[in-house]
Amino acid sequence: MRGALARLLEQPASATAQVMGEDGGGFADGAALLASADKVAAQLASAGLTADEPVLVSVANRPDDLAALFGVWRAGGVVVPIHAAAAEATRAEVRSQAGARFLLDAGQIVRVGDAPPPPRPLLEGAALIIFTSGSTGRPKGVVIGHDGLAAKLDVLARLLKIGPGDEVILPLHLIFIFGVWVSLLAISRGARLRLVPKFAPQPMRETLAAGTVFAGVPSMLRAMFADGTVAAPGLRAILTGGEALGPLLSAQLDLHLPQTDVFDLYGLTETGSCDFCLLPSERVAGTNSVGRPTEGVAFRIVDPAGEAVSPDTTGELVIRTLFGMLGYLDNPALTQASFCDGHFRTGDLARLRSDGFVEIVGRIKEIISRGGNKIAPAEIELMLLQHPDVAQALCAGVPDSRLGEALHVAVVPKAGAAVDEQKLKAWC
């Protein structure tokens, strides 16, 4: 058995954890999960799995999916999560890049290749290969190590204090690092984990009423508020990230869930996730900050030449962390190009405010140049989300013969609201 995460289920707290699927059923406790994982590991070993060999795991937020993850780790393999509903072209691309021979789906092993891939030094000590979409359209395999992710779980345990008394509601799938670390944290700390296969606002509001911790992106929260009020008196914490929370949603949370602590998290798959956190005690409705760096994370904000910019000046956010990726799969050139002086280049534009908090203002590749003015789409979207009738907003640059780029915006009204274009322009 190789890797720290393979031994996670052997911890005393994990034995009392519970994992439930959509129908409320699932593993009675962590001991049953461990037994299922060992059964998977034995099947993989019998099939001839080699050390550090990638294994595709089809995930749909089922308890069996977690048994598969732990089974691969306990067999000495590397997990490559892929959504159960992924298009065949996506599956073929991921299978080809990973070089996988085996696919695990609902506890069954399917052989999808003949020969094992050649040894890759990068995969020594690796736990996961998470494929992320990029601007080139071809997914990149981010290799995450056992030690880094296990250490990050310890940091998050100290920060979020999830424990045996919690029921964690998780609609985020295990193809995302956010979904992975929430699941592992809940199990390793003896909490009850409720996996939600598909998010829908009304059922989620009902599920939320029984939970103590919710982990999801702001869009999910906005959808729940857009279709009605949210009543969850037992909800003590919301873990959110992946996009800006926004002042309007922040105010709605304060109004409707005043007893709930909101942890606004920022991070990338490549950096191990949760690099910054805006703590509940620091969060003020109306702020767009991602807070301060979490334990083990350092950062700089730099100009195109890699030199640090002064406070309140916009530049690229670069991060140095103890928990980052081992590298991009089979792409050392991209790995090297992604770092500057030991810091990972996030591609996010940020500024360090006078209060010591970091604020994300956009993406480098998304900057719109309108008549020479540089505009960050995220700032326009955040402004529009403050309008009481707007549920969602998307801003983009479109080629324009006069200005170079014109600013185009699409908005989704809240349920029952009517948004007049001219009035909205005047409000902006």
Side-chain angles (χ1 to χ4, degrees):
M1 190 191 312
R2 302 160 64 91
L5 298 178
R7 298 185 294 274
L8 186 147
L9 289 175
E10 299 171 5
Q11 298 176 4
S14 300
T16 60
Q18 291 183 330
V19 182
M20 294 177 293
E22 185 175 30
D23 58 359
F27 300 98
D29 54 34
L33 180 60
L34 175 59
S36 295
D38 280 342
K39 181 179 178 181
V40 171
Q43 291 174 330
L44 287 169
S46 178
L49 185 75
T50 59
D52 303 318
E53 182 177 347
V55 178
L56 300 179
V57 178
S58 179
V59 298
N61 274 26
R62 303 163 295 196
D64 279 344
D65 299 341
L66 286 168
L69 261 65
F70 284 111
V72 172
W73 291 333
R74 293 179 72 80
V78 182
V79 170
V80 186
I82 185 167
H83 199 287
E88 183 52 41
T90 301
R91 288 174 169 270
E93 178 67 29
V94 170
R95 184 169 62 242
S96 173
Q97 286 200 50
R101 287 189 296 162
F102 304 110
L103 165 71
L104 281 169
D105 188 1
Q108 301 299 314
I109 297 179
V110 179
R111 185 177 285 270
V112 294
D114 297 323
R120 291 139 141 165
L122 184 66
L123 295 185
E124 294 179 7
L128 291 156
I129 305 171
I130 295 182
F131 281 88
T132 64
S133 298
S135 57
T136 62
R138 190 169 190 256
K140 299 174 293 185
V142 181
V143 181
I144 306 293
H146 277 273
D147 292 345
L149 185 51
K152 189 70 176 191
L153 292 177
D154 290 338
V155 169
L156 293 169
R158 290 189 285 272
L159 177 69
L160 305 173
K161 297 179 172 57
I162 290 175
D166 282 314
E167 178 165 327
V168 180
I169 311 298
L170 182 66
L172 298 165
H173 278 267
L174 300 175
I175 57 171
F176 304 114
I177 189 66
F178 197 168
V180 171
W181 73 252
V182 170
S183 298
L184 298 183
L185 184 62
I187 291 170
S188 66
R189 268 59 190 182
R192 177 179 293 179
L193 176 66
R194 183 180 291 274
L195 298 169
V196 180
K198 186 175 181 179
F199 173 83
Q202 180 56 39
M204 182 55 65
R205 283 198 294 269
E206 296 171 2
T207 301
L208 211 58
T212 64
V213 178
F214 171 79
V217 295
S219 291
M220 293 176 174
L221 295 166
R222 291 191 192 99
M224 284 190 280
F225 279 112
D227 287 353
T229 59
V230 177
L235 193 67
R236 70 165 187 87
I238 289 174
L239 318 179
T240 191
E243 58 179 293
L245 190 63
L248 179 60
L249 178 56
S250 185
Q252 288 177 316
L253 292 170
D254 288 342
L255 177 63
H256 296 282
L257 298 172
Q259 83 289 350
T260 305
D261 288 336
V262 179
F263 293 83
D264 193 359
L265 301 158
Y266 165 90
L268 293 84
T269 305
E270 288 91 338
T271 53
S273 189
C274 303
D275 303 303
F276 286 77
C277 178
L278 187 64
L279 295 169
S281 60
E282 299 169 336
R283 192 176 62 84
V284 177
T287 183
N288 295 326
S289 169
V290 295
R292 304 176 192 272
T294 53
E295 182 183 337
V297 175
F299 75 97
R300 298 168 63 205
I301 298 176
V302 301
D303 62 19
E307 298 296 325
V309 300
S310 58
D312 287 321
T313 301
T314 297
E316 183 182 8
L317 176 65
V318 296
I319 292 173
R320 187 178 72 244
T321 173
L322 301 174
F323 318 110
M325 68 174 180
L326 301 179
Y328 288 115
L329 182 67
D330 298 334
N331 202 332
L334 179 60
T335 301
Q336 183 176 3
S338 299
F339 286 86
C340 171
D341 192 26
H343 292 67
F344 182 79
R345 302 186 62 177
T346 68
D348 283 329
L349 292 171
R351 52 176 166 253
L352 177 62
R353 301 192 323 205
S354 57
D355 59 9
F357 292 173
V358 170
E359 187 173 83
I360 304 296
V361 300
R363 292 281 297 167
I364 290 176
K365 293 182 179 179
E366 292 176 352
I367 287 298
I368 300 165
S369 180
R370 181 185 184 277
N373 294 306
K374 301 299 188 291
I375 301 166
E379 291 191 291
I380 306 298
E381 292 163 0
L382 286 170
M383 177 189 67
L384 283 160
L385 289 173
Q386 296 178 59
H387 192 281
D389 293 332
V390 173
Q392 295 281 6
L394 177 68
C395 176
V398 175
D400 183 88
S401 59
R402 184 172 64 91
L403 297 170
E405 283 186 288
L407 196 66
H408 283 219
V409 173
V411 299
V412 179
K414 288 185 177 178
V419 177
D420 179 84
E421 180 182 346
Q422 296 305 318
K423 289 181 179 179
L424 188 56
K425 284 184 177 180
W427 181 87
C428 288

